[in-house]
Coordinates of all heavy atoms in Angstrom, one line a residue:
M1423 N 80.9 45.0 141.2 CA 81.6 44.2 142.1 C 83.0 45.1 142.3 O 83.7 45.4 141.5 CB 81.8 42.9 141.4 CG 82.8 41.9 142.2 SD 83.0 40.5 141.3 CE 83.3 39.4 142.6
A1424 N 83.4 45.2 143.6 CA 84.6 45.8 144.0 C 85.8 45.0 143.5 O 85.8 43.8 143.8 CB 84.6 46.1 145.5
K1425 N 86.8 45.7 143.0 CA 88.0 44.9 142.7 C 88.9 44.8 143.9 O 89.1 45.8 144.6 CB 88.7 45.7 141.7 CG 89.0 45.1 140.4 CD 89.6 46.0 139.4 CE 90.3 45.2 138.3 NZ 91.0 46.0 137.4
R1426 N 89.3 43.6 144.2 CA 90.2 43.4 145.4 C 91.6 43.8 144.9 O 91.9 43.5 143.7 CB 90.0 42.0 145.9 CG 90.6 40.8 145.1 CD 90.4 39.5 145.8 NE 90.7 38.4 145.0 CZ 91.9 38.0 144.8 NH1 93.0 38.4 145.4 NH2 92.1 36.9 143.9
P1427 N 92.5 44.1 145.8 CA 93.8 44.4 145.5 C 94.5 43.2 145.1 O 94.2 42.0 145.5 CB 94.4 45.1 146.7 CG 93.4 44.8 147.8 CD 92.1 44.5 147.2
L1428 N 95.5 43.4 144.3 CA 96.3 42.1 143.8 C 97.2 41.6 144.9 O 98.0 42.4 145.5 CB 97.2 42.6 142.6 CG 97.8 41.5 141.8 CD1 96.8 40.6 141.0 CD2 98.6 42.2 140.7
S1429 N 97.0 40.4 145.3 CA 97.9 39.9 146.3 C 99.3 39.5 145.7 O 99.4 39.4 144.6 CB 97.3 38.7 147.0 OG 97.4 37.6 146.0
R1430 N 100.2 39.4 146.6 CA 101.6 38.9 146.1 C 101.4 37.6 145.5 O 102.2 37.4 144.3 CB 102.4 38.7 147.4 CG 103.9 38.4 147.1 CD 104.7 38.5 148.4 NE 106.2 38.3 148.0 CZ 106.8 37.1 148.0 NH1 106.1 36.1 148.4 NH2 108.1 37.0 147.7
R1431 N 100.6 36.7 145.9 CA 100.5 35.4 145.3 C 100.1 35.6 143.9 O 100.4 35.0 142.9 CB 99.6 34.5 146.1 CG 99.4 33.1 145.6 CD 98.3 32.3 146.4 NE 98.2 31.0 145.7 CZ 98.4 30.0 146.5 NH1 98.6 30.0 147.6 NH2 98.2 28.8 145.8
D1432 N 98.9 36.4 143.7 CA 98.3 36.6 142.5 C 99.3 37.2 141.4 O 99.5 36.9 140.3 CB 97.1 37.6 142.5 CG 95.9 37.1 143.2 OD1 95.9 35.8 143.3 OD2 95.1 37.8 143.8
F1433 N 100.1 38.2 142.0 CA 101.1 38.9 141.1 C 102.1 37.8 140.6 O 102.5 37.8 139.4 CB 101.9 39.9 141.9 CG 103.0 40.6 141.2 CD1 102.8 41.4 140.2 CD2 104.2 40.2 141.5 CE1 103.9 42.0 139.5 CE2 105.3 40.7 140.8 CZ 105.1 41.6 139.8
L1434 N 102.6 36.9 141.6 CA 103.6 36.0 141.2 C 103.1 34.9 140.1 O 103.8 34.6 139.3 CB 104.3 35.2 142.5 CG 105.1 36.1 143.3 CD1 105.5 35.3 144.6 CD2 106.3 36.6 142.7
E1435 N 101.8 34.6 140.3 CA 101.2 33.6 139.4 C 101.1 34.2 138.0 O 101.4 33.6 137.1 CB 99.9 33.1 139.9 CG 99.9 32.2 141.1 CD 98.6 31.8 141.7 OE1 97.6 32.4 141.3 OE2 98.4 31.0 142.5
R1436 N 100.6 35.5 138.0 CA 100.4 36.2 136.7 C 101.8 36.4 136.0 O 102.0 36.2 134.9 CB 99.8 37.5 137.0 CG 98.3 37.3 137.2 CD 97.6 38.5 137.4 NE 96.3 38.3 138.0 CZ 95.3 39.2 138.2 NH1 95.6 40.5 138.0 NH2 94.2 38.9 138.7
A1437 N 102.8 36.7 136.8 CA 104.3 36.9 136.3 C 104.8 35.6 135.7 O 105.4 35.6 134.5 CB 105.1 37.5 137.4
A1438 N 104.5 34.5 136.4 CA 105.0 33.3 135.8 C 104.3 32.8 134.6 O 104.9 32.5 133.5 CB 104.7 32.1 136.9
L1439 N 103.0 33.2 134.4 CA 102.3 32.9 133.1 C 102.8 33.7 132.0 O 103.0 33.2 130.9 CB 100.8 33.1 133.3 CG 100.0 32.1 134.2 CD1 98.5 32.6 134.3 CD2 100.0 30.8 133.4
I1440 N 103.0 34.9 132.3 CA 103.5 35.8 131.3 C 105.1 35.4 130.8 O 105.3 35.4 129.6 CB 103.6 37.3 131.8 CG1 102.2 37.9 131.9 CG2 104.4 38.2 130.9 CD1 102.2 39.1 132.7
G1441 N 105.7 35.0 131.8 CA 107.1 34.5 131.5 C 107.1 33.2 130.6 O 107.8 33.2 129.6
V1442 N 106.2 32.3 130.9 CA 106.0 31.1 130.2 C 105.6 31.5 128.7 O 106.0 30.8 127.8 CB 105.0 30.1 130.8 CG1 104.8 28.9 130.0 CG2 105.7 29.6 132.1
A1443 N 104.5 32.3 128.6 CA 104.0 32.8 127.3 C 105.0 33.4 126.5 O 105.3 33.2 125.3 CB 102.9 33.6 127.5
S1444 N 105.9 34.3 127.2 CA 107.0 34.9 126.4 C 108.0 34.0 125.9 O 108.5 34.1 124.8 CB 107.6 36.1 127.3 OG 106.7 37.0 127.7
A1445 N 108.3 33.0 126.8 CA 109.5 32.1 126.4 C 108.9 31.2 125.1 O 109.6 31.0 124.2 CB 109.7 31.2 127.4
G1446 N 107.6 31.0 125.1 CA 107.0 30.2 124.0 C 107.1 31.0 122.7 O 107.5 30.4 121.6
V1447 N 106.8 32.2 122.8 CA 106.8 33.1 121.7 C 108.3 33.2 121.1 O 108.5 33.1 119.9 CB 106.3 34.5 122.0 CG1 106.5 35.5 120.8 CG2 104.6 34.4 122.2
G1448 N 109.2 33.3 122.1 CA 110.6 33.5 121.7 C 111.1 32.3 121.0 O 111.8 32.4 119.9
L1449 N 110.7 31.1 121.4 CA 111.2 29.9 120.8 C 110.5 29.8 119.4 O 111.3 29.3 118.5 CB 110.7 28.7 121.7 CG 111.6 28.4 122.9 CD1 111.0 27.4 123.8 CD2 113.0 28.2 122.7
L1450 N 109.3 30.1 119.3 CA 108.6 29.9 117.9 C 109.3 30.9 116.9 O 109.5 30.6 115.8 CB 107.2 30.3 118.1 CG 106.2 29.2 118.7 CD1 104.9 29.8 119.0 CD2 106.3 28.0 117.9
G1451 N 109.8 32.1 117.5 CA 110.4 33.1 116.6 C 111.8 32.6 116.2 O 112.2 32.9 115.0
A1452 N 112.4 31.9 117.0 CA 113.9 31.5 116.8 C 113.9 30.2 115.9 O 114.8 30.0 115.2 CB 114.5 31.3 118.0
C1453 N 112.8 29.4 115.9 CA 113.0 28.1 115.3 C 111.5 27.6 115.0 O 110.7 27.3 116.0 CB 113.7 27.2 116.4 SG 113.9 25.6 115.8
T1454 N 111.2 27.5 113.9 CA 109.8 27.1 113.5 C 109.9 25.9 112.6 O 110.6 25.7 111.8 CB 109.0 28.3 112.9 OG1 109.6 28.6 111.7 CG2 108.9 29.5 113.8
S1455 N 108.7 25.2 112.8 CA 108.5 24.0 111.8 C 107.5 24.3 110.8 O 107.2 23.6 110.0 CB 108.3 22.7 112.5 OG 107.0 22.9 113.3
G1456 N 106.7 25.5 110.9 CA 105.7 25.8 110.0 C 104.6 24.8 110.0 O 104.6 23.8 110.7
G1457 N 103.6 25.1 109.1 CA 102.5 24.1 109.0 C 102.9 22.9 108.2 O 102.2 21.8 108.5
G1458 N 103.7 23.0 107.4 CA 104.1 21.8 106.6 C 105.1 20.9 107.2 O 105.5 19.8 106.6
G1459 N 105.6 21.2 108.4 CA 106.7 20.5 109.1 C 108.1 20.7 108.7 O 108.9 20.2 109.3
A1460 N 108.3 21.7 107.8 CA 109.7 22.0 107.5 C 110.3 22.8 108.4 O 109.8 23.9 108.8 CB 109.7 22.7 106.1
L1461 N 111.4 22.4 109.0 CA 112.1 23.2 110.1 C 112.8 24.2 109.5 O 113.6 24.2 108.5 CB 113.1 22.2 110.8 CG 113.8 22.8 112.0 CD1 112.8 23.1 113.2 CD2 114.7 21.7 112.5
T1462 N 112.7 25.5 110.1 CA 113.4 26.7 109.6 C 114.2 27.2 110.8 O 113.7 27.4 111.9 CB 112.5 27.8 109.0 OG1 111.6 27.2 108.1 CG2 113.1 29.0 108.7
C1463 N 115.5 27.4 110.6 CA 116.4 28.1 111.7 C 117.1 29.3 111.2 O 118.3 29.3 111.4 CB 117.3 26.9 112.2 SG 116.5 25.3 112.6
T1464 N 116.3 30.2 110.7 CA 117.0 31.4 110.1 C 116.7 32.7 110.8 O 117.2 33.7 110.4 CB 116.7 31.5 108.6 OG1 115.2 31.6 108.5 CG2 117.3 30.3 107.9
D1465 N 115.8 32.5 111.9 CA 115.3 33.7 112.6 C 116.5 34.3 113.4 O 116.8 33.6 114.5 CB 113.9 33.6 113.3 CG 113.4 34.8 113.9 OD1 114.0 35.9 113.9 OD2 112.3 34.7 114.4
T1466 N 117.0 35.4 113.2 CA 118.0 36.0 114.1 C 117.6 37.0 115.0 O 118.4 37.8 115.5 CB 119.1 36.4 113.1 OG1 118.7 37.4 112.3 CG2 119.8 35.4 112.3
T1467 N 116.2 37.1 115.2 CA 115.7 38.1 116.1 C 116.3 37.9 117.4 O 116.4 36.8 118.0 CB 114.1 37.9 116.2 OG1 113.6 38.1 115.0 CG2 113.5 39.0 117.2
G1468 N 116.8 39.0 118.1 CA 117.3 39.0 119.4 C 118.8 38.8 119.5 O 119.4 38.9 120.4
L1469 N 119.4 38.4 118.2 CA 120.8 38.2 118.3 C 121.6 39.6 118.3 O 121.0 40.6 117.5 CB 121.3 37.5 117.0 CG 121.1 35.9 117.1 CD1 121.6 35.3 115.8 CD2 121.6 35.3 118.3
A1470 N 122.7 39.7 118.7 CA 123.5 41.0 118.6 C 124.0 41.1 117.1 O 124.2 40.2 116.4 CB 124.8 40.8 119.5
P1471 N 124.1 42.3 116.7 CA 124.5 42.6 115.2 C 125.8 41.9 115.0 O 126.0 41.1 113.8 CB 124.8 44.1 115.3 CG 123.8 44.6 116.3 CD 123.8 43.6 117.4
A1472 N 126.8 41.7 115.9 CA 128.0 40.9 115.7 C 127.7 39.4 115.4 O 128.5 38.9 114.5 CB 129.0 41.1 116.8
D1473 N 126.8 39.0 116.2 CA 126.3 37.6 115.9 C 125.8 37.2 114.6 O 126.0 36.2 113.9 CB 125.6 37.0 117.1 CG 126.2 37.0 118.3 OD1 127.5 36.8 118.4 OD2 125.7 37.1 119.5
V1474 N 125.0 38.2 114.2 CA 124.3 38.1 113.0 C 125.4 38.1 111.8 O 125.3 37.4 110.8 CB 123.2 39.3 112.7 CG1 122.7 39.1 111.3 CG2 122.1 39.0 113.7
Q1475 N 126.3 39.0 112.0 CA 127.4 39.2 111.0 C 128.2 37.9 110.9 O 128.7 37.5 109.9 CB 128.3 40.5 111.5 CG 129.4 40.7 110.5 CD 129.0 41.0 109.1 OE1 128.1 42.0 109.1 NE2 129.6 40.4 108.1
M1476 N 128.4 37.4 112.1 CA 129.2 36.0 112.0 C 128.5 34.9 111.3 O 129.2 34.1 110.6 CB 129.4 35.6 113.6 CG 130.2 34.3 113.7 SD 131.9 34.5 113.2 CE 132.6 35.2 114.5
R1477 N 127.1 34.9 111.4 CA 126.4 33.9 110.6 C 126.6 34.2 109.1 O 126.8 33.2 108.3 CB 124.9 34.0 111.0 CG 124.5 33.4 112.2 CD 123.1 33.7 112.6 NE 122.1 32.8 111.9 CZ 121.6 31.8 112.5 NH1 121.8 31.4 113.7 NH2 120.8 31.0 111.7
E1478 N 126.6 35.4 108.8 CA 126.8 35.7 107.4 C 128.3 35.5 107.0 O 128.5 34.9 105.9 CB 126.5 37.2 107.2 CG 125.0 37.4 107.3 CD 124.5 39.0 107.3 OE1 125.4 39.9 107.1 OE2 123.4 39.3 107.6
T1479 N 129.1 35.9 107.8 CA 130.6 35.6 107.4 C 130.9 34.2 107.2 O 131.7 33.8 106.4 CB 131.5 36.3 108.5 OG1 131.2 37.6 108.6 CG2 133.0 36.0 108.2
L1480 N 130.4 33.4 108.0 CA 130.6 31.9 108.0 C 129.7 31.2 107.0 O 129.7 30.0 106.8 CB 130.6 31.3 109.3 CG 131.6 31.8 110.4 CD1 131.4 31.1 111.7 CD2 133.0 31.6 109.8
Q1481 N 128.9 32.1 106.4 CA 127.9 31.6 105.3 C 127.0 30.5 105.8 O 126.8 29.5 105.1 CB 128.6 31.2 104.1 CG 129.5 32.2 103.5 CD 130.4 31.7 102.4 OE1 130.1 30.8 101.7 NE2 131.7 32.3 102.5
Y1482 N 126.5 30.7 107.0 CA 125.4 29.6 107.5 C 124.3 29.5 106.6 O 123.7 30.5 106.2 CB 125.0 30.0 109.0 CG 123.9 29.1 109.4 CD1 124.2 27.7 109.8 CD2 122.6 29.4 109.3 CE1 123.1 26.9 110.2 CE2 121.5 28.6 109.6 CZ 121.8 27.4 110.0 OH 120.9 26.5 110.3
V1483 N 123.9 28.2 106.4 CA 122.6 27.9 105.7 C 121.8 26.8 106.3 O 122.5 26.0 106.9 CB 122.9 27.7 104.2 CG1 123.3 28.9 103.4 CG2 123.9 26.5 104.0
D1484 N 120.6 26.8 106.2 CA 119.8 25.7 106.7 C 119.9 24.3 106.1 O 119.7 23.4 106.6 CB 118.3 26.2 106.7 CG 117.8 26.8 108.1 OD1 118.6 26.9 108.9 OD2 116.6 26.9 108.1
A1485 N 120.3 24.4 104.7 CA 120.4 23.3 103.9 C 121.8 23.1 103.4 O 122.2 23.9 102.7 CB 119.4 23.2 102.8
S1486 N 122.6 22.2 103.9 CA 123.9 22.1 103.5 C 124.3 21.9 102.1 O 123.4 21.0 101.5 CB 124.7 21.0 104.2 OG 126.0 20.8 103.8
P1487 N 125.1 22.6 101.4 CA 125.4 22.3 100.0 C 126.5 21.3 99.9 O 126.9 20.9 98.6 CB 125.9 23.7 99.5 CG 126.6 24.3 100.8 CD 125.7 23.7 101.9
E1488 N 127.1 20.8 101.0 CA 128.2 19.9 100.9 C 127.7 18.4 101.3 O 127.1 18.2 102.3 CB 129.3 20.3 102.0 CG 129.8 21.7 101.7 CD 130.8 21.6 100.6 OE1 131.4 20.6 100.4 OE2 131.0 22.8 100.1
A1489 N 128.0 17.5 100.3 CA 127.6 16.2 100.6 C 128.4 15.7 101.7 O 129.5 15.9 102.0 CB 127.9 15.4 99.3
N1490 N 127.6 15.0 102.7 CA 128.3 14.4 103.9 C 128.7 15.4 104.9 O 129.6 14.9 105.9 CB 129.4 13.4 103.5 CG 128.9 12.4 102.5 OD1 127.8 11.9 102.8 ND2 129.6 12.0 101.5
K1491 N 128.5 16.7 104.7 CA 128.8 17.6 105.8 C 127.6 18.3 106.2 O 127.0 19.1 105.4 CB 129.9 18.7 105.3 CG 131.2 18.1 105.1 CD 132.3 19.1 104.5 CE 133.6 18.5 104.2 NZ 134.5 19.6 103.8
N1492 N 127.2 18.4 107.5 CA 126.2 19.2 108.0 C 126.3 19.4 109.5 O 127.3 18.8 110.1 CB 124.9 18.5 107.6 CG 124.7 17.1 108.2 OD1 125.1 16.8 109.4 ND2 124.4 16.1 107.4
C1493 N 125.5 20.2 110.0 CA 125.7 20.6 111.5 C 125.5 19.2 112.3 O 126.2 19.2 113.3 CB 124.7 21.6 111.9 SG 124.9 23.0 111.0
L1494 N 124.7 18.3 111.9 CA 124.5 17.1 112.7 C 125.8 16.3 113.0 O 126.2 15.7 114.0 CB 123.4 16.3 112.1 CG 122.6 15.3 113.0 CD1 122.1 16.1 114.2 CD2 121.6 14.7 112.2
N1495 N 126.6 16.4 111.9 CA 128.0 15.5 112.0 C 129.1 16.6 112.2 O 130.3 16.2 111.9 CB 128.1 14.7 110.8 CG 128.2 15.3 109.6 OD1 128.6 16.5 109.4 ND2 128.0 14.6 108.4
C1496 N 128.9 17.7 112.8 CA 129.9 18.7 113.0 C 130.2 18.7 114.5 O 129.3 18.6 115.3 CB 129.4 20.2 112.7 SG 130.6 21.5 113.1
Q1497 N 131.5 18.8 114.8 CA 131.9 18.8 116.2 C 131.3 19.9 117.0 O 131.2 19.8 118.2 CB 133.4 18.8 116.3 CG 134.0 18.7 117.7 CD 133.7 17.3 118.4 OE1 133.6 16.3 117.7 NE2 133.7 17.3 119.7
L1498 N 131.0 21.0 116.4 CA 130.5 22.2 117.1 C 129.0 22.4 117.4 O 128.6 23.3 117.9 CB 131.1 23.4 116.3 CG 132.6 23.4 116.1 CD1 133.0 24.6 115.1 CD2 133.4 23.4 117.3
Y1499 N 128.3 21.4 116.9 CA 126.9 21.4 116.9 C 126.4 20.9 118.3 O 126.9 20.0 118.9 CB 126.3 20.4 115.9 CG 124.7 20.5 115.7 CD1 124.1 21.6 115.5 CD2 124.0 19.3 116.1 CE1 122.7 21.6 115.4 CE2 122.7 19.3 116.1 CZ 121.9 20.5 115.7 OH 120.6 20.4 115.7
T1500 N 125.3 21.6 118.8 CA 124.8 21.3 120.0 C 123.3 20.9 119.6 O 122.4 21.7 119.4 CB 124.6 22.5 121.0 OG1 125.8 23.0 121.3 CG2 124.0 22.1 122.3
P1501 N 122.9 19.5 119.7 CA 121.7 19.0 119.2 C 120.6 19.5 120.3 O 120.8 19.8 121.4 CB 121.9 17.6 119.4 CG 123.2 17.3 120.0 CD 123.9 18.4 120.2
A1502 N 119.4 19.5 119.7 CA 118.2 19.9 120.4 C 117.2 18.6 120.3 O 117.6 17.6 119.6 CB 117.6 21.1 119.8
A1503 N 116.0 18.8 120.8 CA 115.1 17.8 120.6 C 114.7 17.6 119.1 O 114.8 18.4 118.3 CB 113.8 18.1 121.5
E1504 N 114.2 16.4 118.8 CA 113.8 16.1 117.6 C 112.8 17.1 116.9 O 111.9 17.5 117.7 CB 113.1 14.7 117.5 CG 112.5 14.3 116.1 CD 113.4 13.4 115.4 OE1 114.4 12.9 116.0 OE2 113.2 13.4 114.1
G1505 N 113.1 17.7 115.8 CA 112.1 18.6 115.2 C 112.4 20.0 115.6 O 111.7 20.9 115.2
E1506 N 113.5 20.2 116.4 CA 113.8 21.7 116.9 C 115.2 22.1 116.4 O 116.1 21.2 116.2 CB 113.8 21.7 118.3 CG 112.3 21.5 118.9 CD 112.3 21.7 120.4 OE1 113.2 22.1 121.1 OE2 111.2 21.3 120.9
C1507 N 115.4 23.4 116.3 CA 116.7 23.9 116.0 C 117.7 23.7 117.1 O 117.3 23.7 118.3 CB 116.6 25.3 115.7 SG 115.6 25.8 114.4
G1508 N 118.9 23.3 116.8 CA 120.0 23.1 117.7 C 120.8 24.3 117.9 O 120.3 25.5 117.6
G1509 N 121.9 24.3 118.4 CA 122.8 25.3 118.6 C 124.3 25.0 118.1 O 124.5 24.0 117.6
C1510 N 125.0 25.9 118.3 CA 126.5 25.9 117.7 C 127.3 26.7 118.7 O 127.0 27.8 119.1 CB 126.5 26.4 116.3 SG 128.3 26.4 115.7
T1511 N 128.5 26.2 118.9 CA 129.5 27.0 119.7 C 130.2 28.1 119.1 O 130.7 29.0 119.7 CB 130.6 25.9 120.3 OG1 131.3 25.4 119.3 CG2 129.9 24.9 121.2
V1512 N 130.1 28.2 117.7 CA 130.6 29.2 117.0 C 129.6 30.2 116.5 O 129.7 31.4 116.6 CB 131.5 28.7 115.8 CG1 132.0 29.8 114.9 CG2 132.6 27.9 116.3
V1513 N 128.6 29.6 115.7 CA 127.5 30.4 115.2 C 126.3 30.6 116.2 O 125.7 29.6 116.5 CB 127.1 29.8 113.8 CG1 126.0 30.5 113.2 CG2 128.3 29.6 112.9
K1514 N 126.1 31.6 116.5 CA 124.9 31.9 117.5 C 123.6 31.9 116.8 O 123.6 32.3 115.6 CB 125.2 33.3 118.3 CG 126.5 33.3 119.0 CD 126.7 32.3 120.0 CE 128.0 32.4 120.8 NZ 128.5 31.1 121.2
G1515 N 122.7 31.6 117.6 CA 121.3 31.6 117.1 C 120.8 30.2 116.7 O 121.6 29.2 116.9
P1516 N 119.7 30.0 116.2 CA 119.1 28.7 115.8 C 119.8 28.0 114.7 O 120.2 28.7 113.8 CB 117.6 29.0 115.5 CG 117.7 30.3 115.0 CD 118.7 31.2 115.8
I1517 N 120.2 26.7 114.9 CA 121.0 26.1 113.9 C 120.3 24.8 113.5 O 119.8 23.9 114.3 CB 122.3 25.6 114.5 CG1 123.1 26.8 115.0 CG2 123.1 24.8 113.5 CD1 123.6 27.8 113.9
H1518 N 120.0 24.7 112.2 CA 119.3 23.5 111.6 C 120.3 22.2 111.7 O 121.4 22.4 111.3 CB 118.9 23.8 110.1 CG 118.0 22.9 109.5 ND1 118.1 21.6 109.3 CD2 116.7 23.0 109.3 CE1 117.0 21.0 108.9 NE2 116.1 21.9 108.8
P1519 N 119.8 21.1 112.0 CA 120.7 19.9 112.1 C 121.3 19.6 110.7 O 122.3 19.1 110.6 CB 119.7 18.8 112.5 CG 118.5 19.4 113.0 CD 118.4 20.9 112.4
L1520 N 120.6 19.9 109.6 CA 121.1 19.7 108.3 C 121.7 20.8 107.7 O 121.9 20.9 106.5 CB 120.1 18.9 107.4 CG 119.3 17.7 107.9 CD1 118.3 17.3 107.1 CD2 120.4 16.7 108.1
G1521 N 121.9 22.0 108.6 CA 122.5 23.2 108.0 C 124.2 22.9 107.8 O 124.7 21.9 107.9
Y1522 N 124.8 24.2 107.5 CA 126.2 24.1 107.2 C 126.8 25.5 107.4 O 126.0 26.5 107.1 CB 126.4 23.5 105.8 CG 127.9 23.5 105.4 CD1 128.8 22.6 105.8 CD2 128.2 24.6 104.6 CE1 130.1 22.6 105.4 CE2 129.6 24.6 104.1 CZ 130.6 23.7 104.6 OH 131.8 23.7 104.2
C1523 N 128.0 25.5 107.7 CA 128.7 26.8 107.5 C 130.2 26.4 107.2 O 130.6 25.3 107.4 CB 128.7 27.7 108.8 SG 129.8 27.4 110.0
T1524 N 131.0 27.4 106.9 CA 132.4 27.3 106.5 C 133.2 26.9 107.7 O 134.4 26.5 107.5 CB 132.9 28.6 105.8 OG1 132.8 29.6 106.7 CG2 132.2 28.7 104.5
S1525 N 132.7 26.9 108.9 CA 133.6 26.3 110.1 C 133.2 24.9 110.4 O 133.7 24.5 111.5 CB 133.3 27.3 111.3 OG 134.0 28.5 111.2
W1526 N 132.6 24.2 109.5 CA 132.3 22.9 109.8 C 133.7 22.1 110.1 O 134.7 22.3 109.5 CB 131.7 22.2 108.5 CG 131.4 20.7 108.8 CD1 130.2 20.2 109.3 CD2 132.2 19.6 108.5 NE1 130.2 18.9 109.2 CE2 131.4 18.4 108.8 CE3 133.4 19.4 108.1 CZ2 131.9 17.2 108.6 CZ3 133.9 18.2 107.9 CH2 133.3 17.1 108.3
A1527 N 133.5 21.2 111.2 CA 134.6 20.4 111.6 C 134.0 19.1 111.9 O 133.1 18.9 112.6 CB 135.2 21.1 113.0
E1528 N 134.7 18.1 111.3 CA 134.3 16.7 111.5 C 134.1 16.3 113.0 O 134.9 16.5 113.9 CB 135.3 15.8 110.9 CG 134.8 14.3 110.9 CD 135.7 13.4 110.0 OE1 136.7 13.9 109.4 OE2 135.3 12.2 109.8
K1529 N 133.0 15.7 113.3 CA 132.7 15.3 114.6 C 133.6 14.1 115.0 O 133.7 13.1 114.2 CB 131.3 14.8 114.7 CG 130.7 14.7 116.0 CD 129.3 14.4 116.1 CE 128.7 14.3 117.5 NZ 127.2 14.4 117.5
V1530 N 134.2 14.2 116.2 CA 135.1 13.1 116.7 C 134.5 12.8 118.0 O 134.4 13.4 118.9 CB 136.5 13.6 116.9 CG1 137.2 13.6 115.5 CG2 136.6 15.0 117.5
S1531 N 133.9 11.5 118.1 CA 133.4 11.1 119.5 C 133.7 9.7 119.7 O 133.7 8.8 119.3 CB 131.9 11.4 119.4 OG 131.3 10.7 118.4
Ligands
SF4_2762 FE1 126.8 23.9 111.8 FE2 128.9 25.5 111.3 FE3 128.1 25.3 113.8 FE4 129.3 23.2 112.5 S1 130.2 25.3 113.0 S2 127.4 23.1 113.8 S3 128.6 23.5 110.4 S4 126.9 26.2 112.0

């Protein structure tokens, strides 16, 4: 069977599929819930070295060691959908809702 040339439409459809698949892989790498359902937000793949350094300098951790202080009640937290890592205006990369860093600031809303 002769192979027909790739049409513009075929190309765009395939490019869109690859883009969706790549985005899915990227999200899984940045924030995973694993098989047991435990959310992990420690993958810094794709972050600039300075951003990784900032996470370390501010001692970001997925599980807050401070009673009553976590990312969820921090003013700088950007929530995500239930069961997914959120974000932060100071600490780049995936952020666990129950995480913590030394820049914690009480949420005022
Ligand atoms: Fe969490 Fe720190 Fe960002 Fe606050 S500043 S949301 S405690 S990582």
Side-chain angles (χ1 to χ4, degrees):
M1423 179 180 207
K1425 236 179 164 181
R1426 70 177 169 88
L1428 194 63
S1429 70
R1430 183 172 187 268
R1431 181 187 180 123
D1432 290 339
F1433 173 79
L1434 291 174
E1435 286 176 354
R1436 290 179 190 184
L1439 282 175
I1440 290 169
V1442 168
S1444 298
V1447 168
L1449 287 173
L1450 286 174
C1453 179
T1454 59
S1455 61
L1461 184 63
T1462 303
C1463 307
T1464 55
D1465 187 349
T1466 56
T1467 303
L1469 285 184
D1473 293 333
V1474 174
Q1475 181 63 48
M1476 180 65 82
R1477 286 173 77 98
E1478 292 170 6
T1479 300
L1480 298 179
Q1481 300 171 36
Y1482 170 78
V1483 289
D1484 263 6
S1486 177
E1488 301 283 332
N1490 305 319
K1491 290 183 180 178
N1492 56 51
C1493 296
L1494 207 51
N1495 63 22
C1496 175
Q1497 184 66 29
L1498 305 171
Y1499 183 64
T1500 306
E1504 175 92 20
E1506 294 182 12
C1507 301
C1510 174
T1511 57
V1512 173
V1513 179
K1514 301 303 177 207
I1517 301 295
H1518 197 291
L1520 300 178
Y1522 174 80
C1523 86
T1524 55
S1525 281
W1526 182 88
E1528 185 171 5
K1529 190 173 191 172
V1530 286
S1531 53

